Amino acid sequence: MAGSTILIIALSLFGLAVSFFYMKKVTAIPLDLGLNKEESDRLKSIHGAIAEGAMAFLKQEYKVLVWFMLAFAVVIGLLTDNHETASANEGWFTAIAFVFGAAISILSGYIGMKVATAGNARTTVSARNGLADAFAVALNSGAVMGFALVSLATLGMVLIYLFMKNVLPADVPNNVLMEVIAGFGLGGSTIALFARVGGGIFTKAADVGADLVGKVEKGIPEDDPRNPAVIADNVGDNVGDVAGMGADLFGSCAESTCAALVISAIAFAADINAMLYPIMITAVGIVISLVTKIVTHMLVTVDDEQKVGKALKMLLGISTGLMVVVMYFVTKMMIPDTFEINGIAYTDMGVYYCFLAGLLAGLAVGFLTEYYTSTEYSPVREIAKACETGAATNIIFGLALGYKSTVLPYIAIAIAIFTSWQLAGMYGIAIASIGMLGTLVIALMIDAYGPVADNAGGIAEMAGLDKEVRRRTDILDAAGNTTAAIGKGFAIGAAILTSLALFSAFITHSQNLMRALPEYADDYDLVSSITLLDPVVYTALFMGAVLPFLFSAMTMKSVGSAAFDMIEEVRRQFRTIPGLMEGTGRPDYATCVAISTQAALREMIAPGILIIGSPLLAGYLFGVQAVAGILAGSLVTGGVLAIASSNSGGAWDNAKKYIEKGNHGGKGSDCHKAAVVGDTVGDPLKDTSGPSLNILIKLSAILSLVFAPFFVNLGGILL
């Protein structure tokens, strides 16, 4: 076993041990810390309802996914055999990798959900002792998610590599081996599809129902226990923003690494250390993230409002700086001084600069997202002021902000793409995509921190704890809103680069398959045949360009349909339950949770069929060139639409919170009511359709990579 393999396994196990340590640290805090019996009973009841609802949704979702996984694995086994090798049917091995990747993704989501639901109430009770204690619990809860997910991803990839290396016949070349392992990325991405879409529909159906009836119609505060949808809303924060985001970024990590492995197997066929360099980048990030967390804790004591955001941003800054330094030495150690891909020479320093380009582009996209969605800067304050003239101007300003906010992030990503392509070709783009995910543990940590802090505030409100507890959790939540926006921007940027890396791997894989066919010459160049002058490519490009809009429309309509049922149920309860508005009656929380669960499971099917079916149908009917056009079209428009949707929604949300702090009339004013309407419109954009577009552009690309043998062998039947 190569030294790099042993080191990756050791770092992965270390990361899991760190995750377990932080989980024990969180769960060791008693739920009744500092509470009297009445407060303790209320808090435990609310905490139990949220945890039960979240785990019930996961259980129902995973029941559906298990059957889908098994059925789709059979399809993979039957259709993805690589004709380059006659000694084995690689399709069935790819199916094994697919199931393994899906299982790891499910396990990651389960761990994240479990610790988030354990950490929210413990953050609430810790807030009685001060801001620093509450911040530590929320961040430690996020750390469990970050370390566990990334460690499982790296461990899973190296284990599936070792397994396939030992069970596949000896004559199977490394490039085919890595193409088989791409099934692992497909498994993770497929689970992310349903976790992101289903979770997004769940949370926004509850959120819209709770806001429109509770806040707008009844005039009661957010998270008021009289509102029947508040438990479902809090459950949804965990379902969408913890399990959904975790599955999304697990997929990005696995997919970008698989793309790099496919290309590196060609460049470094005889050098196992260089071949596994893409996995090592993520593994090194595990240790860097722990050092970052310890250093940040030593440098910043979170004892006032300003230091919360400072500590979270410091985590990103320190981890990025450490990765810049450490990866220089790792790259020099693992990558040869010079190497060739398709006859073109590249250098180890070129690879390092590709990593650097992705890492810095990710940081730029994250902070640009903060600029457009934070109350500290003028864009959100302009939206808040627009609320003074009503909901219409609020929505107009918000849409304009979203469109405008796409320009600079796309320029940053474009610079990273151009630089990486010049320095190391297709391999450079794959490394840049992994570089953007170099601080993935930290990104997940601060992203999962957000819903934990948000839930903590809701629990404090529903449990009737003193106002100081809610004030402290609101401080944590406000910082979490900003970091959540950064996380969404980071995830979208990573999805764009990951998709491009997978596109490169798909072209490389397809070209190798076509060169092995007798009707193509050994020097056949697939890239030159993918031209806008080809009517098939041009038509497919147009079809790919509209897919994100159709997908976004489907997910938004799903939220609307589910929210309609939720609104009717909440209105019914206020109308029929005696004393509910007065606080003497008890709402039926369980029915609202059930409505969101059923809607999410029902509504996630159609978008899933669209994403999975489109490239398969295009490839079968029109061949590889049509698939390339579909991927390029959906990548370019999908990224723009995702950024615009996410930033518009985030800006509307924070404009409402800015007004609630006393600006422009404060809570209850006409300005505030206009802001609530904008926030309600933006919710499905920022938490459902926007983030779900990440999955569309990534899943289409990894699916095409895995099914390349099908397209080459059996595709193009109409041409």
Side-chain angles (χ1 to χ4, degrees):
M1 189 182 296
S4 58
T5 308
I6 296 172
L7 183 57
I8 291 169
I9 293 174
L11 291 175
S12 301
L13 293 175
F14 172 76
L16 289 174
V18 172
S19 176
F20 180 75
F21 168 79
Y22 282 116
M23 183 169 66
K24 295 297 289 183
K25 198 167 184 177
V26 170
T27 55
I29 299 170
L31 281 173
D32 57 357
L33 181 68
L35 303 181
N36 59 44
K37 188 177 187 310
E38 183 181 352
E39 291 173 331
S40 175
D41 289 345
R42 284 200 304 265
L43 182 137
K44 288 179 180 178
S45 174
I46 294 163
H47 164 70
I50 294 171
E52 184 181 340
M55 301 315 294
F57 172 76
L58 277 192
K59 184 178 179 182
Q60 292 299 317
E61 184 179 49
Y62 290 164
K63 280 182 179 179
V64 175
L65 292 183
V66 165
W67 289 109
F68 170 80
M69 284 163 49
L70 295 176
F72 199 48
V74 173
V75 174
I76 292 170
L78 293 173
L79 298 181
T80 62
D81 181 32
N82 190 326
H83 62 258
E84 288 182 273
T85 55
S87 58
N89 183 339
E90 288 84 6
W92 293 110
F93 292 100
T94 305
I96 293 172
F98 166 80
V99 172
F100 186 55
I104 294 290
S105 182
I106 286 174
L107 178 60
S108 299
Y110 178 83
I111 291 172
M113 183 76 85
K114 197 76 174 175
V115 74
T117 53
N120 52 17
R122 289 168 171 84
T123 301
T124 304
V125 296
S126 297
R128 294 177 67 94
N129 295 334
L131 192 62
D133 284 3
F135 175 79
V137 176
L139 192 64
N140 288 343
S141 300
V144 177
M145 176 73 165
F147 283 105
L149 187 145
V150 175
S151 300
L152 286 171
T154 52
L155 184 62
M157 282 185 283
V158 77
L159 289 179
I160 198 68
Y161 163 76
L162 292 173
F163 174 78
M164 294 299 175
K165 186 73 175 174
N166 285 283
V167 299
L168 282 169
D171 63 338
V172 173
N174 278 330
N175 67 299
V176 176
L177 169 65
M178 294 306 180
E179 288 151 12
V180 167
I181 292 173
F184 180 90
L186 177 59
S189 189
T190 304
I191 297 303
L193 163 66
F194 295 108
R196 249 312 186 194
V197 176
I201 293 169
F202 184 108
T203 184
K204 289 305 108 183
D207 199 4
V208 170
D211 282 356
L212 283 183
V213 180
K215 292 165 68 174
V216 177
E217 295 182 7
K218 297 296 182 180
I220 60 178
E222 188 172 5
D223 296 316
D224 192 296
R226 292 172 291 176
N227 193 327
V230 292
I231 293 293
D233 188 10
N234 281 275
V235 169
D237 288 336
N238 295 293
V239 167
D241 292 337
V242 178
M245 173 63 88
D248 183 357
L249 286 172
F250 174 89
S252 289
C253 179
E255 290 154 350
S256 59
T257 305
C258 287
L261 289 173
V262 168
I263 302 172
S264 68
I266 298 172
F268 311 113
D271 187 346
I272 183 63
N273 289 325
M275 196 186 309
L276 295 181
Y277 171 76
I279 306 179
M280 183 64 76
I281 295 174
T282 309
V284 167
I286 295 171
V287 178
I288 295 296
S289 299
L290 179 61
V291 173
T292 298
K293 189 174 185 304
I294 293 171
V295 170
T296 302
H297 179 71
M298 293 169 60
L299 293 177
V300 181
T301 300
V302 182
D303 52 8
D304 62 49
E305 185 172 353
Q306 285 71 34
K307 290 182 180 178
V308 178
K310 180 181 178 181
L312 293 172
K313 291 177 187 176
M314 188 175 286
L315 287 168
L316 283 172
I318 292 175
S319 61
T320 299
L322 290 175
M323 285 296 289
V324 168
V325 175
V326 173
M327 283 310 303
Y328 171 82
F329 297 101
V330 173
T331 305
K332 295 293 288 184
M333 181 178 66
M334 297 186 70
I335 300 294
D337 293 342
T338 60
F339 61 96
E340 288 189 1
I341 300 177
N342 295 329
I344 302 175
Y346 301 110
T347 67
D348 57 347
M349 285 307 297
V351 172
Y352 171 72
Y353 289 130
C354 293
F355 162 80
L356 201 59
L359 184 68
L360 296 179
L363 199 63
V365 171
F367 284 116
L368 283 168
T369 305
E370 179 193 9
Y371 171 74
Y372 283 109
T373 59
S374 172
T375 57
E376 298 299 316
Y377 304 105
S378 59
V380 168
R381 295 189 178 191
E382 288 176 358
I383 293 178
K385 184 170 179 58
C387 294
E388 292 180 351
T389 51
T393 47
N394 176 28
I395 292 171
I396 290 169
F397 269 69
L399 289 174
L401 178 146
Y403 297 153
K404 184 179 179 180
S405 71
T406 63
V407 178
L408 292 177
Y410 250 60
I411 290 174
I413 294 169
I415 291 172
I417 292 170
F418 179 80
T419 303
S420 302
W421 189 284
Q422 290 293 106
L423 292 172
M426 292 182 175
Y427 182 66
I429 291 175
I431 294 301
S433 70
I434 302 174
M436 188 172 279
L437 294 165
T439 57
L440 181 56
V441 174
I442 296 297
L444 283 164
M445 186 187 304
I446 63 176
D447 196 81
Y449 153 93
V452 170
D454 188 10
N455 265 203
I459 291 171
E461 182 77 28
M462 288 183 280
L465 303 185
D466 60 79
K467 291 183 179 180
E468 181 61 19
V469 172
R470 181 61 196 253
R471 188 189 73 82
R472 289 168 180 165
T473 58
D474 281 349
I475 291 172
L476 300 181
D477 184 30
N481 284 332
T482 299
T483 56
I486 293 175
K488 286 183 174 68
F490 174 82
I492 293 167
I496 293 170
L497 273 184
T498 297
S499 181
L500 188 57
L502 290 166
F503 180 83
S504 302
F506 166 69
I507 297 299
T508 301
H509 185 18
S510 299
Q511 181 164 276
N512 288 336
L513 291 168
M514 296 176 82
R515 282 175 174 173
L517 294 174
E519 59 264 39
Y520 295 97
D522 289 340
D523 61 350
Y524 174 74
D525 185 8
L526 176 60
V527 176
S528 64
S529 72
I530 301 174
T531 169
L532 289 179
L533 298 178
D534 184 332
V536 171
V537 176
Y538 198 68
T539 304
L541 189 71
F542 267 62
M543 298 309 298
V546 301
L547 280 179
F549 292 89
L550 177 58
F551 176 80
S552 186
M554 293 170 72
T555 55
M556 289 185 69
K557 189 174 180 181
S558 294
V559 170
S561 299
F564 181 85
D565 294 339
M566 184 67 71
I567 290 168
E568 289 298 305
E569 173 60 23
V570 176
R571 284 172 175 167
R572 183 196 67 79
Q573 291 196 32
F574 273 115
R575 188 172 60 248
T576 60
I577 296 178
L580 182 55
M581 191 62 187
E582 292 74 22
T584 56
R586 178 175 174 79
D588 179 5
Y589 299 124
T591 298
C592 291
V593 173
I595 287 173
S596 273
T597 300
Q598 292 160 9
L601 296 177
R602 180 183 69 246
E603 298 291 343
M604 70 183 185
I605 296 172
I609 293 173
L610 176 70
I611 295 180
I612 294 172
S614 296
L616 291 179
L617 184 63
Y620 179 62
L621 296 179
F622 301 106
V624 170
Q625 284 83 355
V627 176
I630 289 277
L631 296 181
S634 63
L635 167 60
V636 172
T637 61
V640 173
L641 187 58
I643 293 174
S645 298
S646 182
N647 287 352
S648 286
W652 275 318
D653 185 16
N654 283 333
K656 179 198 69 174
K657 288 181 169 61
Y658 181 69
I659 292 170
E660 288 174 345
K661 289 182 177 180
N663 300 292
H664 303 289
K667 276 187 179 182
S669 65
D670 290 340
C671 187
H672 181 240
K673 291 177 181 177
V676 170
V677 173
D679 179 38
T680 305
V681 172
D683 267 341
L685 290 174
K686 73 180 175 68
D687 290 330
T688 307
S689 64
S692 296
L693 287 166
N694 299 353
I695 311 300
L696 181 144
I697 59 179
K698 292 185 301 180
L699 181 54
S700 298
I702 188 71
L703 186 79
S704 300
L705 172 60
V706 170
F707 279 86
F710 169 65
F711 302 145
V712 171
N713 296 336
L714 301 174
I717 63 169
L718 296 184
L719 297 179

